[in-house]
Amino acid sequence: MILEGCQSKSKEISIEERICPQCGHEIEIFSVDTEAACEHCGFVIYNDKLSCVQWCKYARQCVGDRMYEDMMEIARRNIEKRGKSA
C-alpha cells in the first residue's frame, strides 16, 4: 500500500521488463519487488528504483516492515559495491 500524499512519482504498481545480463533472457520485475531471478539461468537482478525508501520518513509505514528491511538491505549493498569500485 502506498500512503496517500506520497511524494513518489509512481503511485501504482507497475511491471518492467529487463534483459538478463548473464543469458539475455527477459526478466519481469514489479515496482514493489526488491529483486527478481531470471527463470532461465537464475541470475538475480535488483530493483534500482527504491530510492524513496532511503529518505522518506513514512517509508516503513508505506511499504511494510519486511519490504522496508529488504529494500534498505539492497541499498546498503549498493552503497558497499560503489565504495569497492571507487
Side-chain angles (χ1 to χ4, degrees):
M1 173 188 102
I2 296 176
L3 293 174
E4 191 166 322
C6 178
Q7 299 301 308
S8 172
K9 291 182 179 116
S10 175
K11 304 280 188 272
E12 296 181 16
I13 296 173
S14 61
I15 189 168
E16 186 176 328
E17 294 177 350
R18 299 202 191 154
I19 301 300
C20 177
Q22 186 163 297
C23 72
H25 277 75
E26 212 170 73
I27 303 173
E28 293 180 343
I29 187 166
F30 287 90
S31 57
V32 294
D33 290 339
T34 55
E35 59 188 39
C38 176
E39 291 180 6
H40 184 256
C41 72
F43 186 86
V44 176
I45 63 165
Y46 296 95
N47 187 342
D48 56 359
K49 297 180 181 179
L50 307 174
S51 62
C52 67
V53 171
Q54 296 175 60
W55 56 263
C56 181
K57 67 180 180 179
Y58 301 108
R60 185 181 291 273
Q61 182 182 358
C62 184
V63 299
D65 289 333
R66 172 70 183 183
M67 174 114 17
Y68 178 82
E69 293 300 329
D70 289 347
M71 291 174 161
M72 290 303 287
E73 178 59 29
I74 289 171
R76 280 190 284 276
R77 281 187 266 164
N78 287 340
I79 290 168
E80 287 175 8
K81 283 181 194 174
R82 276 185 252 140
K84 289 179 182 176
S85 64

